[in-house]
Amino acid sequence: MTPLPAPRPLSRLIGSPEGRLGIIAVTVFVVMAALSPDRFLSAANMTSMAFQFPEFAILALAMTVTMLTGGIDLSVVGIANLSAIVAAMIMTRLTGDGTGLVLLALAASLGVGLLAGLLNGVLIAALGLPPILATLGSGLIFTGLAVALTGGSAVMGLPPAMAWIGNSTTLGIPTPLILFALLALGISLMLTRTAFGVTLRMYGANPLAARFAAIDVGGMLVRVYVLSGALAAVAGMLVMSRANSAKADYGSSYLLLAVLIAVLGGVNPYGGYGRIIGVVLAVLSMQFLSSGLNMLGVSNFARELIWGSLLIFVMIVNTRRPRA
Amino acid sequence: MSDAIQPPAPPEALITLDGVTKTYAGITALDAVGFSIRAGEAVCLAGENGSGKSTLIKILAGVERPNRGRVLIDGRPAEGLTPRAAGQAGIKVIFQDFSLFPNLSVAENIAFSAELGAGTRLVRRARAGDLARATLARIGVAIPLDARVETLPVAHKQLVAIARALATEARLIIMDEPTTALTEREVRVLLGIIRRLKADGVAVLFVSHKLAEVLEVCEHVVVLRNGAKVAEGPARDFDAASLTRHMTGRAVGGQAPAPLAEGAPELMRVEGLGKAGAFADVSFSLRAGEVLGVSGLLGSGRTALAKALFGLVRPDAGRIAVADRAVPPGDPLAAARAGIGYVPEDRLTEGLFLTQSIAQNVAVGRLDAHAGAGGVLDLRGLLAEARDWLGRLSVKAPDPDAAVRSLSGGNQQRVVLARWMARSPRVLILNGPSVGVDVGSKAEIHGIIADLAAQGLGVIVISDDLPELLGTCHRILVMKAGRVTEAIAAGGVTEADLAHRLAS
Amino acid sequence: MTIDWTRNETLVALVILAFGALAALSDPGFLSIATLTDLLRGGIVLGIFATGVLVVLISGGIDVSFTAVAAFTMYATAMVLNAVAPWMPWWAALMLGAALGAALGAINGVLIAGLGLPTLIVTLGTLSVFRGFMLTFVGQRQITTLPPGMREFGRMMLVRGENPDGSIWSLHAGILVTAGVIALTWFILHRTLLGRQVFAIGGSEESARRIGIPVRRVQFLVYVYVGALAGLAGMIHASMARVANPFDLVGLELSVIAAVVLGGARLAGGYGTLTGTVLGVALIVLVRNSLIVLGIPSTWQSVAIGLLILIGTGLPAWQARRAARRAA
């Protein structure tokens, strides 16, 4: 078999899904900049964007890891809100020194995320519930608990230390951005360099063969959903920090956005393919689009319309183009 | 054709294939195959698994379209043949996987094609029931019409699939390995039906790798090997030996495995293993260096037994012990830790991660062994070990990072073997080790099995490929209806005899 | 009559009875005509939605966009009728709604059947597209004056009577529409070849293709059907509520899917009964309307439904897993 000629750099870029995403991100940036040059390209906007995207980007990371196994976690927003509300209630009900209290609350919030993920994992791995149903039901429960705990209203009056994570800069870079970058890097390394990550991807590629290869499928699935729950809790904490309050229905549009980003980022919803760099580029594209649309005065509803259309468009393109 | 008085004009062939070629992603499944089938004629398509028979059937059924060449029906080319068009042209197929609807009843499954063809909008249960009852009666079988197909044993499912093809007016019935689950009595009934169909002017394309059946029922034989037609002619021009020679490309092996060393220690002992609805009271022992064959009809419990030994299926009764230590049942991870390995029947869906690289496919069993603190992998060590095993098993893969689906069937099978070999198993269970593998690789895989045995492993081969069993195994266990009915020593039986013992 | 304890329908019926008993114990006034008609009223729209979702699930797919289809249909139709054809009688208005719903469903059909895209994600997308389109281009303000046809339908009562305390109970005529939809769907699913083809495709899409079932055409029709039913349900909802609020209905998807899945329909396709769906709807309506009677505040409603979904599908899933382990 004669080897194919080495592809030219440009066609190789277009050929890879991540290369295409890079082009899309740059294109969206340029278009939005062209439509509102003064405001879009301002330092204020750049900073603002850098503060905004990490919260839904981390949710997209959670969605990505579960999608890689051929499943999905529809409860991430519910977990984010519930864990934030638990933290907020600790911070507002208990008295104590600011930082210590905040750390306790955050630990509790992470604990809620881990437990919630554990519930999902057990439902899916041990009972064999389809992930759609399991996370649909559990998501309802988590949101419902959040509503029951707060009566539907926001929990306010958080200690000032809480605002630090979501609104400060460290070494000149917004702290949320650093947090997201660390998480993205960590997950990317996990997926390629640890037994857990490789097992995860192999299972997504062929669940049946994974069982036949004597891989601990059940243990892996539980850990994936626990990870998703933990990431959701972190995202919820960021939202709470920036909004300085916690509410049961924050970020309700973030679920669609997380799915959109994962799919746009090249993650195959049936499992087996997906790269973190693709997700990061998709996050950036969506942030540029969101900020740009905001500046053009496009309403929230129109944004929903655009996101939905984009999701469908991306699915069509990904299906049309044969996988390399 | 016979030397009878020639009819005034040569009969138009019902179906003709002309230079039909089909490729899938670089692999040639069919290579310019051409032959004809006449009305009232039974043509046998003989060939090993992987010779292209299934692809040819799919093309005739309209499920796939040829890349080159054409199909002629009544002398006219059939452009863009779809399953519906094929059905309307009178082509009915009994697929190897039955293609039934598990959630629907027996009657509905049998009558569905008829209902489709009749173009009726409304469904009348009584009409479907009558048709189903009548068709089953033709085969001489009684199966509850309201039973959901998924609840039926395999043999009944096969009979329902056969009934469905017979339920409507057909001009050509294609049968793809229709007897894999049937006993000799049921096979006899089916062959009788085929004779009646021929008398009615219906053509039959009978696809099988079982030589005795092939020669008994057909006038005309076409032999495929590696996608190409290698022989064709009247059935009386062939016999078992010549057919085998054409199908495999080499003379009948007739080789027997090297004799077992005296005093080889017992490696695995199975006592009273049972699983309700699948098999019962299975006991045997396996010695180091021994190759044990397990065979039986489809549905005899042989695959369930293999899976139970590896923990994919949880037995209700009995014990499994490797090197005198009990193996916890129903847990593949425990079985693997105890030193049992399992190479599955269907490597494409059960064995390989097709989109992943060759190296990853081999390394997937050794992830924990190469994981350090925090689960971080020693990637270099892992991949070096994988490449080493690829070399040891002579896998032709110039680039271990290429996707495994780019390999040929034989090399793919070796990748799965390499994965298990890297875990240094004591007992290796191979389910259908050379299904869909080309002839050259098949011989090499048999060589690998002999090598494994020589190294002191115990090997269990599940197969219904009789020459393979006779050529590799020291002992063969025959399973019927879930029980081990006999254990035959190598060299103690001929192929025809073994076939008879399996299916009687 | 032999009772099959392993079937979802039996379990749901039991839970309904238990719920009813508990509620009656808490509040003796629970078992009254007023409660019954209240529950029936609550089930009118939900029942039509659930019937459509059942058909989709049987075919092996899933649709979460139907509430957006319903909202779009009722809002746009009310607006158009008010502006252009206020003379339209109620039955024509309902049919117009069904037609518009069918057209929206056809979009889903093209994407799923025509292009073969995964059903959950596509309908997540169309949910946002339909809703976003409506709120951006059609309008955001409630329509408080409905066209006369819809108003007339909203007032249609089948029966009415007086409670002991002087208040009126009534049973809305919409229940007849729901019953009709259920009957029609039963007929299609069990008496027509098309319906059997839906089951076949859900059972094994590949086998269906092989015997010549026009899989894509059937799938397309399934999504058109659920769209039509959603449009009809939306019209009835607006008529009964006396107002077309574009923000209504979305958010109900989970309850509807819960009802259908509780009733025994499988996400993987090929299985599902109308009896089960009706029972599932009854249970969900009971939970939504009657938690108060049991002393559970309405803020716990989501939790209750979520728990129902998990237990109602988890138990059968666990049983199926144990059965699969028992089998070979």
Side-chain angles (χ1 to χ4, degrees):
Chain A
M1 219 170 22
T2 50
L4 295 165
R8 297 196 324 275
L10 184 62
S11 54
R12 175 137 37 120
L13 199 64
I14 297 181
S16 90
E18 289 76 35
R20 280 199 298 278
L21 273 168
I23 296 178
I24 292 177
V26 168
T27 311
V28 173
F29 188 90
V30 166
V31 167
M32 291 300 147
L35 286 174
S36 326
D38 301 324
R39 289 187 294 161
F40 193 81
L41 290 175
S42 65
N45 183 45
M46 292 295 145
T47 325
S48 165
M49 288 200 294
F51 273 106
Q52 280 171 28
F53 76 74
E55 53 196 46
F56 61 77
I58 296 178
L59 282 179
L61 282 180
M63 192 63 72
T64 300
V65 293
T66 51
M67 267 195 184
L68 281 174
T69 64
I72 195 171
D73 190 348
L74 297 172
S75 68
V76 285
V77 174
I79 296 178
N81 285 327
L82 180 62
S83 56
I85 283 175
V86 166
M89 290 180 85
I90 290 180
M91 285 189 280
T92 52
R93 301 284 167 87
L94 300 180
T95 49
D97 128 313
T99 328
L101 193 58
V102 168
L103 285 177
L104 174 67
L106 291 182
S109 146
L110 197 59
V112 168
L114 292 171
L115 278 177
L118 184 62
L119 173 66
N120 282 332
V122 165
L123 288 171
I124 293 168
L127 290 188
L129 267 183
I132 296 177
L133 276 184
T135 56
L136 209 62
S138 70
L140 263 183
I141 292 180
F142 301 141
T143 307
L145 283 174
V147 168
L149 283 174
T150 60
S153 40
V155 180
M156 303 200 282
L158 307 181
M162 184 64 227
W164 180 82
I165 305 167
N167 298 298
S168 65
T169 62
T170 310
L171 305 173
I173 305 176
T175 315
L177 179 55
I178 298 182
L179 183 58
F180 170 67
L182 287 176
L183 284 174
L185 188 61
I187 291 184
S188 176
L189 287 175
M190 181 271 290
L191 286 175
T192 48
R193 304 259 173 111
T194 66
F196 171 54
V198 174
T199 307
L200 199 163
R201 287 188 296 129
M202 298 299 264
Y203 174 81
N206 187 343
L208 195 56
R211 279 196 71 221
F212 277 78
I215 292 178
D216 181 10
V217 162
M220 182 275 298
L221 279 178
V222 169
R223 280 189 278 173
V224 164
Y225 284 92
V226 166
L227 175 62
S228 175
L231 287 172
V234 172
M237 173 202 69
L238 266 184
V239 170
M240 175 171 65
S241 175
R242 289 189 355 105
N244 207 27
S245 59
K247 196 158 180 278
D249 64 0
Y250 277 166
S252 50
S253 63
Y254 278 171
L255 186 63
L256 173 70
L257 186 56
V259 173
L260 172 55
I261 290 175
V263 167
L264 179 63
V267 179
N268 183 346
Y270 294 120
Y273 184 84
R275 298 186 57 194
I276 297 296
I277 183 68
V279 174
V280 171
L281 289 171
V283 163
L284 290 176
S285 303
M286 290 311 296
Q287 179 59 58
F288 297 154
L289 184 63
S290 210
S291 290
L293 287 179
N294 231 357
M295 284 177 187
L296 294 173
V298 169
S299 73
N300 280 347
F301 306 126
R303 196 163 53 183
E304 206 179 322
L305 169 62
I306 293 177
W307 285 355
S309 313
L310 198 54
L311 179 59
I312 293 174
F313 178 71
V314 169
M315 296 245 63
I316 295 178
V317 168
N318 282 348
T319 317
R320 282 271 159 260
R321 206 174 271 285
R323 208 142 276 289
Chain B
M1 303 297 287
S2 70
D3 286 316
I5 300 166
Q6 292 293 341
E12 184 77 67
L14 177 60
I15 302 272
T16 303
L17 285 104
D18 183 16
V20 168
T21 301
K22 178 75 183 173
T23 53
Y24 292 109
I27 302 170
T28 308
L30 284 178
D31 191 2
V33 174
F35 63 92
S36 296
I37 309 172
R38 272 167 272 268
E41 182 182 36
V43 172
C44 277
L45 190 61
E48 304 225 288
N49 288 311
S51 56
K53 299 177 299 187
S54 293
T55 310
L56 199 143
I57 291 173
K58 284 191 188 155
I59 290 178
L60 282 173
V63 178
E64 297 272 3
R65 227 126 299 145
N67 296 108
R68 275 201 296 276
R70 49 196 195 141
V71 175
L72 298 124
I73 304 180
D74 288 326
R76 278 185 306 278
E79 297 296 330
L81 194 63
T82 62
R84 198 143 203 193
Q88 274 158 356
I91 301 176
K92 308 287 168 189
V93 185
I94 303 169
F95 287 96
Q96 199 170 10
D97 64 5
F98 314 152
S99 292
L100 295 171
F101 301 113
N103 56 330
L104 300 180
S105 70
V106 167
E108 227 179 341
N109 267 276
I110 294 177
F112 219 111
S113 307
E115 300 277 319
L116 269 182
T120 49
R121 294 274 171 82
L122 298 179
V123 160
R124 258 177 288 275
R125 305 260 293 273
R127 188 175 60 204
D130 289 339
L131 180 61
R133 201 171 304 117
T135 317
L136 285 174
R138 257 170 97 187
I139 321 182
V141 178
I143 302 177
L145 292 176
D146 287 328
R148 273 210 311 267
V149 159
E150 64 184 347
T151 61
L152 296 179
V154 172
H156 283 192
K157 283 185 189 163
Q158 193 158 56
L159 290 166
V160 170
I162 293 172
R164 180 167 72 182
L166 297 178
T168 48
E169 287 311 306
R171 298 171 69 208
L172 168 67
I173 296 191
I174 305 174
M175 302 186 176
D176 187 0
E177 307 279 3
T179 60
T180 43
L182 303 184
T183 61
E184 277 188 346
R185 186 197 73 83
E186 285 159 344
V187 171
R188 207 144 302 288
V189 172
L190 180 62
L191 297 185
I193 293 175
I194 293 179
R195 279 188 206 97
R196 267 201 297 262
L197 286 171
K198 290 195 298 180
D200 285 342
V202 179
V204 175
L205 182 64
F206 191 81
V207 180
S208 178
H209 69 283
K210 294 189 182 174
L211 308 183
E213 291 167 8
V214 166
L215 294 174
E216 184 174 336
V217 77
C218 302
E219 284 92 31
H220 201 74
V221 175
V222 172
V223 185
L224 290 185
R225 188 172 81 228
N226 287 343
K229 184 178 76 173
V230 296
E232 181 179 1
R236 67 191 136 88
D237 288 353
F238 292 89
D239 66 1
S242 64
L243 260 183
T244 309
R245 201 168 46 243
H246 287 297
M247 277 166 53
T248 63
R250 22 174 225 140
V252 173
Q255 52 174 149
L260 199 50
E262 284 299 320
E266 179 186 82
L267 209 47
M268 175 191 240
R269 187 208 298 263
V270 172
E271 286 167 346
L273 205 64
K275 173 92 194 165
F279 58 86
D281 202 24
V282 172
S283 304
F284 64 85
S285 88
L286 182 70
R287 288 155 63 197
E290 181 177 16
V291 181
L292 177 70
V294 178
S295 192
L297 295 175
L298 189 66
S300 58
R302 58 174 212 248
T303 300
L305 174 63
K307 287 186 175 174
L309 292 173
F310 184 61
L312 287 168
V313 156
R314 179 181 287 262
D316 308 317
R319 304 173 358 121
I320 305 170
V322 170
D324 268 339
R325 297 246 301 273
V327 178
D331 183 3
L333 282 91
R337 271 195 300 269
I340 305 178
Y342 179 80
V343 175
E345 201 169 11
D346 184 346
R347 73 178 157 274
L348 293 177
T349 55
E350 298 171 340
L352 293 170
F353 303 92
L354 288 175
T355 52
Q356 308 297 307
S357 75
I358 299 169
Q360 277 173 325
N361 267 274
V362 174
V364 73
R366 292 279 291 164
L367 294 174
D368 285 332
H370 285 266
V376 178
L377 288 174
D378 167 22
L379 280 177
R380 190 166 299 170
L382 187 65
L383 293 173
E385 184 188 74
R387 270 188 284 261
D388 179 44
W389 278 105
L390 287 173
R392 283 208 239 177
L393 282 167
S394 314
V395 179
K396 289 181 205 56
D399 179 13
D401 289 326
V404 78
R405 66 173 155 213
S406 61
L407 292 180
S408 72
N411 280 313
Q412 284 177 340
Q413 191 71 318
R414 279 183 244 219
V415 167
V416 184
L417 271 169
R419 177 197 303 163
W420 281 109
M421 290 310 299
R423 296 176 83 143
S424 306
R426 289 200 178 97
V427 175
L428 202 54
I429 305 172
L430 307 173
N431 197 341
S434 58
V435 167
V437 162
D438 62 278
V439 167
S441 290
K442 195 171 193 167
E444 287 173 36
I445 288 179
H446 293 169
I448 293 173
I449 294 178
D451 281 340
L452 293 175
Q455 287 170 41
L457 265 78
V459 182
I460 301 179
V461 176
I462 320 280
S463 177
D464 66 354
D465 183 339
L466 304 183
E468 174 172 73
L469 289 167
L470 291 169
T472 55
C473 304
H474 296 109
R475 251 189 320 151
I476 300 174
L477 297 180
V478 175
M479 286 191 74
K480 257 182 239 167
R483 284 180 186 270
V484 176
T485 51
E486 44 188 320
I488 306 172
V493 73
T494 64
E495 189 179 327
D497 194 11
L498 183 58
H500 173 71
R501 293 202 211 192
L502 285 175
S504 59
Chain C
M1 176 182 78
T2 49
I3 300 180
D4 186 348
W5 295 101
T6 56
R7 289 185 60 180
N8 274 59
E9 289 97 319
T10 323
L11 291 173
V12 174
L14 280 177
V15 173
I16 292 177
L17 287 176
F19 197 105
L22 279 175
L25 284 174
S26 291
D27 173 16
F30 185 75
L31 291 180
S32 62
I33 301 262
T35 316
L36 183 62
T37 53
D38 237 358
L39 294 174
L40 283 173
R41 185 189 171 93
I44 293 176
V45 169
L46 218 56
I48 300 178
F49 277 145
T51 308
V53 170
L54 173 67
V55 176
V56 174
L57 283 185
I58 292 177
S59 79
I62 189 169
D63 183 355
V64 295
S65 69
F66 57 92
T67 50
V69 170
F72 190 113
T73 301
M74 63 137 175
Y75 192 66
T77 309
M79 194 176 271
V80 166
L81 285 183
N82 266 341
V84 166
W87 39 261
M88 196 169 271
W90 61 267
W91 49 266
L94 289 183
M95 281 175 48
L96 186 60
L100 179 54
L104 293 175
I107 297 177
N108 278 331
V110 165
L111 292 172
I112 293 171
L115 296 178
L117 302 179
T119 57
L120 176 66
I121 298 186
V122 162
T123 53
L124 263 179
T126 51
L127 167 71
S128 300
V129 168
F130 296 151
R131 190 154 185 265
F133 189 93
M134 169 181 71
L135 292 170
T136 309
F137 295 113
V138 181
Q140 294 167 25
R141 272 194 316 221
Q142 301 185 53
I143 300 176
T144 45
T145 315
L146 293 177
M150 286 172 76
R151 263 183 284 149
E152 189 191 338
F153 185 74
R155 283 192 297 263
M156 260 190 222
M157 298 297 160
L158 206 54
V159 285
R160 63 173 77 211
E162 200 172 306
N163 282 324
D165 67 1
S167 58
I168 311 277
W169 59 261
S170 58
L171 180 57
H172 194 276
I175 197 76
L176 287 179
V177 179
T178 307
V181 163
I182 293 176
L184 173 68
T185 308
W186 181 88
F187 184 79
I188 294 176
L189 284 178
H190 292 278
R191 285 281 178 268
T192 66
L193 190 60
L194 183 62
R196 301 321 292 169
Q197 287 174 334
V198 174
F199 273 98
I201 293 171
S204 167
E205 195 176 314
E206 180 60 26
S207 301
R209 236 181 276 277
R210 285 192 187 167
I211 66 164
I213 290 179
V215 170
R216 279 153 61 139
R217 177 154 28 116
V218 173
Q219 280 176 328
F220 177 79
L221 289 175
V222 163
Y223 290 94
V224 168
Y225 188 68
V226 65
L229 288 187
L232 183 61
M235 295 295 287
I236 294 181
H237 168 86
S239 304
M240 283 169 60
R242 318 286 168 92
V243 66
N245 182 349
F247 293 95
D248 269 351
L249 292 174
V250 171
L252 266 184
E253 311 82 42
L254 299 184
S255 299
V256 174
I257 293 176
V260 182
V261 156
L262 277 173
R266 286 193 213 168
L267 214 59
Y271 297 87
T273 62
L274 278 152
T275 315
T277 302
V278 168
L279 284 171
V281 170
L283 182 53
I284 295 289
V285 172
L286 211 49
V287 168
R288 284 168 64 92
N289 290 11
S290 314
L291 276 183
I292 293 279
V293 174
L294 288 182
I296 301 177
S298 59
T299 44
W300 288 86
Q301 208 184 82
S302 296
V303 179
I305 297 184
L307 273 175
L308 267 180
I309 295 182
L310 290 185
I311 298 177
T313 52
L315 268 180
W318 186 51
Q319 276 181 337
R321 212 169 234 202
R322 283 177 51 201
R325 238 169 245 157
R326 263 181 267 122

